[in-house]
Amino acid sequence: MVPKISTLSGYIFEYQKSTANPTEFWSNIADTFYWRRKYDEVLKWDFQKPEVRWFEGGQLNLTENIFERQIFYRGGQTALLWEPNDPEEEPRRITYQELFEEVQKFANVLLDLGVKKGDRVGIYLPMVPELVVAMLACARIGAVHSVVFGGFSAQALSERLEDAGIRLLITADGGFRGTKTVPLKAIADEALEQAPTVEQVIVYQRTKEDIPMKEGRDVWWHDLMAGAAASNEAATMESEDPLYILYTSGSTGKPKGLVHSTAGYMIYSAYTFRNVFQYSDGDVYFCTADIGWVTGHSYLVYGPLLSGATCVMFEGVPTWPDAGRFWDIVEKYRVNQFYTAPTALRSLMAMGEKWLEGKDLSSLKVLGSVGEPINEEAWHWYHDHVGKNRCPIVDTWWQTETGGIMISPLAGIIPTKPSYATMPFMGVQPVIVDSEGQEQTGNSVQGNLCISYPWPGMARTIWGDHERFRQTYFSTYPGMYFTGDGARRDEDGYYRIMGRVDDVINVSGHRLGTAEVENAINEHPLVNESAVVGFPHDIKGQGIFAFVVCTELSDGGEDGIRTSIRKTVSKIIGPFAKPDLILLVSGLPKTRSGKIMRRILRKVAAGETEDFGDTSTLLDPAIVDEIVEAATRTAGG
Ligand code: WT7
């Protein structure tokens, strides 16, 4: 088991060691895992290329570190406590032994279907234990999984399947979310019309709705599992073999498939999990994130299971049957560590404290936050009403690209401050730079956040486009990884994340590229062009504000076209990417070279009506007055 730091002086000591001698530090952590062959070299790196290789020469299988390494003493322990969407339905309790059996069987299913080491497998499933089984079965045989969040549309799914060259897709008839069912199979069928690489589809039965099965392509999960052999020997993987691909948005239109490694990711997800949450044997841990995002990968599946944790996995939504659902679950399973997103907290906060009344939350020890900056009001609400003033809050800053938590308190060890992610994790070397790349040393400084040294969990490349990987993360400030976030280091040396400094917006903890939303809007037949910016939103953190130039209005007038633009975005990306506000304008503020001045649009979206700075480089400065006038008129009416 990875070591656990338990005092502040221990943190200071270990952190110092981890930066003074990173290879010795990480090799000590790595040695607590099970290797089939020990690595020859701890780290080889060059941020110019960029190339990062951890534990080269090592051979292992990640699932052996979850199962074989722990099964003798943990076989009977609960791995997953699955809480269904409908509280009336039977929950499922799955032990490590049972999970191991399912994973081995499904690994054999994949092998029987001809899936080989290195093949990419697509997963488009609801939040059911079989999603975990599917991921671990891929890791068992060395296939690279790519999970696509169930909220993505057919078009978004097919784009990702095609980019990753997926041959086999695992999906379900549908999924339950609150009062809704999501027709996953129907969406997948539509996606597959445009994803010619997919030859086989495994369908898990969840909603039991009637769905068409395509002869020769679609097979039922339960039929395959019924005939599968029970034992499977894990494939031998190299340290740097890819474990998975996960797509995320960037500042250009095309989503990026970040590639995570086997050994480095395994070690980093497990070590951060145990230390940040201070998980102890016997604790019950509940992460509310969907496995379709990186939080679910690292802190619902890999980190916790590698640490032998008992995890609550919840299929539904926080507000159904009512806004007390999370607290019912905490009470029911006696949850000790609870990890969620600020947007969920703000929406529950808006519904009032009455939903917490009478719920026994006394089991809680640690509260976690992730995905976006947590504002002070939500922090205090979480601290006072959920944690009853006795649970430390770990505000964990990290990214899909980082693979695991980078800046965060260790629960109960590093003193917290509302809205501060506080201190770097072991081995993480943050640097704050100004726009010229000049490092801002000392305390009380602010600028762009970079990381100057590799850590084991970092993504190694963008699938199929290493040059884009270099361009996006390693070229802005040569020699450093650029996060895309702004940060402040205060007088105590504490880090506060200020939000994105690029064209990425964070809506309810979901990352969206403005260009991606613009491309979707521009698909609408009556749209000429558009510009999308984020604006402060009480619940979502940031909302989506779209400025749209139309060639003509449709039948329904302005409201009609707004509705149909939202439909278009839903269809192309997914419902969560629908613009909150759409302002129809006759033109966009562009410079003579055709660049949209987003800074002006961001101000308008934030409700400002003056002080737009220098607009003299605009092709048509009058357009600004017109946009402000339209925004004021719309806001007033
Ligand atoms: C972006 C990464 C990390 C998993 C979920 C999101 C923002 C994330 C925090 C935090 C302030 C945060 C950043 C980051 N972010 N956590 N604790 N405080 N901002 O992963 O979709 O890759 O998004 O989320 O802007 O760059 P993601």
Side-chain angles (χ1 to χ4, degrees), residues 152 320 413 492 612:
F152 276 112
W320 191 79
I413 292 169
D492 300 324
F612 293 107

Side-chain angles (χ1 to χ4, degrees), residues 62 66 135-136 139 145 243-244 265-266 269-270 296-307:
L62 188 150
I66 296 178
M135 293 164 78
L136 297 179
H145 61 70
L243 176 66
Y244 68 81
Y265 178 84
M266 170 183 82
S269 62
H297 281 61
S298 299
Y299 298 113
L300 182 48
V301 182
Y302 289 111
L305 295 179
L306 284 160
S307 310

Side-chain angles (χ1 to χ4, degrees), residues 29-139:
I29 305 293
D31 290 348
T32 65
F33 288 82
Y34 173 67
W35 296 84
R36 287 192 174 185
R37 181 186 187 279
K38 192 171 163 147
Y39 45 86
D40 305 312
E41 197 179 352
V42 178
L43 171 65
K44 207 161 98 189
W45 69 291
D46 175 357
F47 272 179
Q48 301 293 337
K49 280 185 178 172
E51 180 188 59
V52 173
R53 306 182 72 82
W54 284 92
F55 312 111
E56 194 133 59
Q59 291 181 333
L60 72 161
N61 187 286
L62 188 150
T63 70
E64 265 183 354
N65 279 281
I66 296 178
F67 298 118
E68 280 92 337
R69 183 173 60 110
Q70 307 189 81
I71 209 76
F72 293 111
Y73 56 99
R74 262 192 226 293
Q77 185 197 313
T78 304
L80 294 177
L81 287 160
W82 179 76
E83 171 72 7
N85 178 58
D86 183 347
E88 303 293 312
E89 195 186 327
E90 211 40 50
R92 289 165 66 185
R93 185 182 284 271
I94 300 166
T95 64
Y96 272 86
Q97 182 61 43
E98 287 160 348
L99 187 61
F100 187 25
E101 283 163 17
E102 293 295 290
V103 168
Q104 291 185 83
K105 273 165 68 180
F106 198 64
N108 288 329
V109 164
L110 294 175
L111 290 173
D112 288 345
L113 290 175
V115 179
K116 294 194 179 54
K117 197 191 261 195
D119 284 355
R120 276 82 58 208
V121 171
I123 303 180
Y124 187 61
L125 282 172
M127 284 286 283
V128 290
E130 283 68 20
L131 168 50
V132 180
V133 172
M135 293 164 78
L136 297 179
C138 287

